[in-house]
């Protein structure tokens, strides 16, 4: 039998000595000396932690299980000595979202730790948010043994090797550390994925239970660091000739700024003002142009806006920058019915050629735009577009007036609440305006709150709002608050969530208290999945199974967790503003329960202005796509 009490001190002491050095020194300075020549003997578990540390990974979101006891022991010692931070979580989807938010907001790469089985599947599901938004995160899953001694608990029960490794390879990029000596190659592939300059995403490391404690030799100097690549752009100015002709030729050019423009917003602003073109935003690119800027047409797409969709529908040419062309951004491929040509600026070659009749400028967005503007000279074609800009500005004024009526609407009598309550646009705008006033960042969940949110927010720079539109993941926003745990001078976050989305991942109520998170959950409760209710009405005139009759006191639910400040948001704008001030003053997690109207009154919604290839619209949309010029 195994001697369960035999825990040798010597290995732990050696690990601890290394952790103490690594807490204050770089990997090279801490581990390379004249005696070892940079080659050290470590278990695979510790070697992986060291290798990740060399890429700047010092934060772990973890749910430990039998598949990660050896790795967990190394992390325990490193955490105790301050070399890494380990944040224990209560749900794998939640911790995947927290890791995504941490990387997205703070620009640092974390790792998620769990095991194969239900935990791995949940973390894998959560990784969709990172993949859809171009965020690099490491996922480490304790995997089945390579010994072949029989079925392991939690592996897929079929006679086949590495099934979870195959699943993760389909979800993103993956590497199984079947051999400890393969660590260097694993980390090379890992940084190429997690730190990709144009399309970063989750990288999955499958860590078999039996290889974790195996000793291996690693060369510290040749372990890959974090990948950094110089920006690239077309090599010859001749390649820009077609783009210059494009800009001088078309009178009604529209710029579509995708999520990839967030870190290149200054270049996009320069291009827009230089050529005199309106800019239409995607849900994930609010702030790329200042909200009140005359050329900001706001969001455009399947949901869109009056001004954004006007610019898309009437443009004779499209400049698309940093966009994947997701349905919500380009109306399922039919958002530009009058466009004759496209100029696409993107580092990703697959997305670069998404449209037909395209002039392609591959590379780093800022570098490409700088080259293009230098080639363009003084003749930017701006005089061609004066009437176009004037027409678009008029539509912006129309949208602004339309929005103002809705965000300042009086409370409406609601049959669920049996009294007048705020409309969702009015409530969201109140919270979003408060967030801007106090400098808080806004996290949006999927659903009706999100759809109204990206039509309403008034951002003047990227990073004021993080909205998970790519995977449309309900439960993201509350979980994202955990990304600020243990961060020095963490940004105050407000999670905008609906009642349906919140119940997908309510674990933040506990984990935020456990890890000292200061933030707020604004829970807009209309007791239904209102986005789908609206879609059902728009398509078939009937609602079906998107609401419920169960009353939930979310204030009481939150108050049952010690350390959470739970407040009622009230039924008027002034009451909500007072509650927001009180919640923000609390040194911890607060939750505001905000009842909102749900019904068919048009003043309670922001409207939808584009096409979508779903339901009974399919035939019409696909017919338009067939006849599209781009």
């Amino acid at each position: 039998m195994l001697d369960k009490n035999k825990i040798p001190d010597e290995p732990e002491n050696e690990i601890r000595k290394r952790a103490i050095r690594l807490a204050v020194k770089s990997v090279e300075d801490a581990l390379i000396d004249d005696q070892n020549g940079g080659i050290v003997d470590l278990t695979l578990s510790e070697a992986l932690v060291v290798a990740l540390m060399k890429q700047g990974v010092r934060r772990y979101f973890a749910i430990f299980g039998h598949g990660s006891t050896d790795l967990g022991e190394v992390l325990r010692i490193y955490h105790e000595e301050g070399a890494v931070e380990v944040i224990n979580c209560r749900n794998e989807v939640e911790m995947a979202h927290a890791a995504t938010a941490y990387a997205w907001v703070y620009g640092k790469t974390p790792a998620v730790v769990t095991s194969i089985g239900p935990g791995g599947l949940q973390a894998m599901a959560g990784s969709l948010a990172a993949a859809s938004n171009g965020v690099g995160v490491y996922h480490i899953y304790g995997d089945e043994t390579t010994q072949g001694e029989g079925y392991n608990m939690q592996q897929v029960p079929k006679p086949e090797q590495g099934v979870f490794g195959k699943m993760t390879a389909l979800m993103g990029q993956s590497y199984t550390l079947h051999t400890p000596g393969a660590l260097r190659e694993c980390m090379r592939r890992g940084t190429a994925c997690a730190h990709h300059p144009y399309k970063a995403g989750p990288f999955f490391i499958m860590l078999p239970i039996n290889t974790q404690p195996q000793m291996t030799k690693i060369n510290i100097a040749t372990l890959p660091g974090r990948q950094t690549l110089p920006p690239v752009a077309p090599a010859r100015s001749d390649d820009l000739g077609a783009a210059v002709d494009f800009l001088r030729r078309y009178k009604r050019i529209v710029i579509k700024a995708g999520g990839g423009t967030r870190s290149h917003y200054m270049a996009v602003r320069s291009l827009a003002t230089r050529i005199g073109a309106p800019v239409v935003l995607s849900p994930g690119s609010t702030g790329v142009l200042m909200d009140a800027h005359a050329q900001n047409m706001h969001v455009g797409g399947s949901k869109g806006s009056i001004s954004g969709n006007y610019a898309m529908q009437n443009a004779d040419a499209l400049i698309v920058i940093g966009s994947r062309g997701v349905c919500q951004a380009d109306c399922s491929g039919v958002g530009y019915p009058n466009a004759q040509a496209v100029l696409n600026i993107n580092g990703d070659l697959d997305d670069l050629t998404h449209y037909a009749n395209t002039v392609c400028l591959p590379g780093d967005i800022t570098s490409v735009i700088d080259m293009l503007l230098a080639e363009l000279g003084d003749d930017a074609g701006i005089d061609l577009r004066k009437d176009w800009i004037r027409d678009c500005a008029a539509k912006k004024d129309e949208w602004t007036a339309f929005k103002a009526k809705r965000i300042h609407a009086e409370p409406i009598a609601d049959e669920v609440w049996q009294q007048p309550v705020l409309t969702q646009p009015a409530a969201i705008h109140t919270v979003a305006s408060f967030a801007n006033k106090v400098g808080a960042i806004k996290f949006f969940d999927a659903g009706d709150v999100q759809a109204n949110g990206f039509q309403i927010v008034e951002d003047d720079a990227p990073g004021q709002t993080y909205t998970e539109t790519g995977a449309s993941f309900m439960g993201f926003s509350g979980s994202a608050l955990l990304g600020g745990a243990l961060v020095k001078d963490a940004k105050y976050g407000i999670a905008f969530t609906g009642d349906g989305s919140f119940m997908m991942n309510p674990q933040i109520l506990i984990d935020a208290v456990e890890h000292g998170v200061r933030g707020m959950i604004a829970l807009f409760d209309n007791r239904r999945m209102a986005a789908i209710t609206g879609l059902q009405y728009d398509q078939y005139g009937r609602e079906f199974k998107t609401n419920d009759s169960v009353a939930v006191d979310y204030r009481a639910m939150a108050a049952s967790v010690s350390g959470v400040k739970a407040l009622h948001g009230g039924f008027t704008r002034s009451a909500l503003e007072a509650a927001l001030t009180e919640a923000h003053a609390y040194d911890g997690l607060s939750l505001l329960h905000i009842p909102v109207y749900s019904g068919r009154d048009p003043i309670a919604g922001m409207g939808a202005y584009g096409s979508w290839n779903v339901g009974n619209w399919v035939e019409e949309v696909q017919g338009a796509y067939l006849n599209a010029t781009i």
Side-chain angles (χ1 to χ4, degrees), residues 16-275:
R16 194 172 295 278
K17 289 177 184 177
R18 288 187 288 268
I20 290 170
R21 296 197 300 271
L22 285 162
V24 295
K25 295 182 178 181
S26 68
V27 172
E28 292 88 346
D29 290 343
L31 299 184
I32 298 176
D33 58 40
D34 293 336
Q35 291 183 326
N36 62 32
I39 297 177
V40 296
D41 290 289
L42 304 172
T43 65
L44 176 57
S45 291
E46 187 178 5
L48 176 59
V49 173
V50 169
L52 286 167
M53 196 176 290
K54 192 172 179 184
Q55 293 185 12
V57 179
R58 288 179 178 260
R59 167 166 290 216
Y60 293 79
F61 294 87
I63 294 179
F64 294 117
H66 76 277
S68 56
T69 57
D70 191 77
L71 175 63
E73 177 64 3
V74 172
L75 289 174
R76 175 185 70 83
I77 298 168
Y78 273 57
H79 176 81
E80 289 174 353
E81 299 301 338
V84 300
E85 295 172 334
V86 180
I87 297 169
N88 55 305
C89 305
R90 281 165 177 75
N91 178 271
E92 291 85 0
V93 174
E94 175 208 25
M95 73 175 180
H97 289 332
T100 298
Y102 174 73
W104 203 353
V105 173
Y106 297 101
K108 298 179 180 179
T109 308
V112 169
V113 178
T114 186
S115 301
I116 61 169
L121 287 171
Q122 290 206 91
M124 218 184 300
S127 75
L128 282 168
S132 297
N133 292 284
V135 179
V137 178
Y138 276 103
H139 279 239
I140 305 169
Y141 300 167
D143 199 4
E144 65 189 72
T145 65
T146 59
Q147 184 74 14
E149 73 279 7
Y151 284 119
N152 289 181
M153 185 167 61
Q154 295 186 327
Q155 76 176 80
V156 177
K158 63 182 295 188
E160 187 170 341
Q161 289 179 306
V163 174
F164 270 86
K166 294 174 183 177
M167 284 192 278
T168 53
L170 290 171
M171 294 291 290
Q173 295 188 42
S174 178
Y175 197 93
T176 298
L177 281 169
H178 51 79
T179 303
L183 178 63
R184 173 179 166 179
E185 175 63 9
C186 172
M187 299 311 299
R188 184 188 69 81
R189 296 191 194 183
T191 189
C193 173
H195 305 126
H196 193 283
Y198 310 128
K199 216 165 195 176
F203 185 80
F204 300 89
I205 297 176
M206 309 308 295
L207 193 60
I209 296 170
N210 63 314
T211 65
Q212 292 177 37
Q214 290 180 16
M215 297 299 297
T216 186
K217 293 181 182 295
I218 61 169
N219 187 328
I220 299 298
T222 58
L223 278 178
R226 177 173 176 140
Q227 175 179 273
T228 56
L229 299 172
V232 297
R236 299 185 307 275
S237 60
D238 292 349
D239 297 327
L240 301 172
V244 169
D245 291 342
F246 177 101
L247 296 175
R248 293 172 179 169
R249 179 180 189 184
Y250 292 101
K251 297 181 179 180
R252 300 191 309 279
I253 292 175
V254 64
I255 296 174
K256 187 55 182 280
T261 62
R262 288 188 295 256
S263 57
H264 302 276
Y265 69 98
M266 294 303 295
V268 174
R269 292 177 180 183
S270 296
L271 176 64
T273 54
R274 181 80 168 274
I275 69 173

Side-chain angles (χ1 to χ4, degrees), residues 541-552:
R542 298 287 190 277
E543 177 272 336
F544 181 66
K545 295 293 185 181
T546 57
N547 67 336
D548 62 69
S549 59
V550 181
V552 179

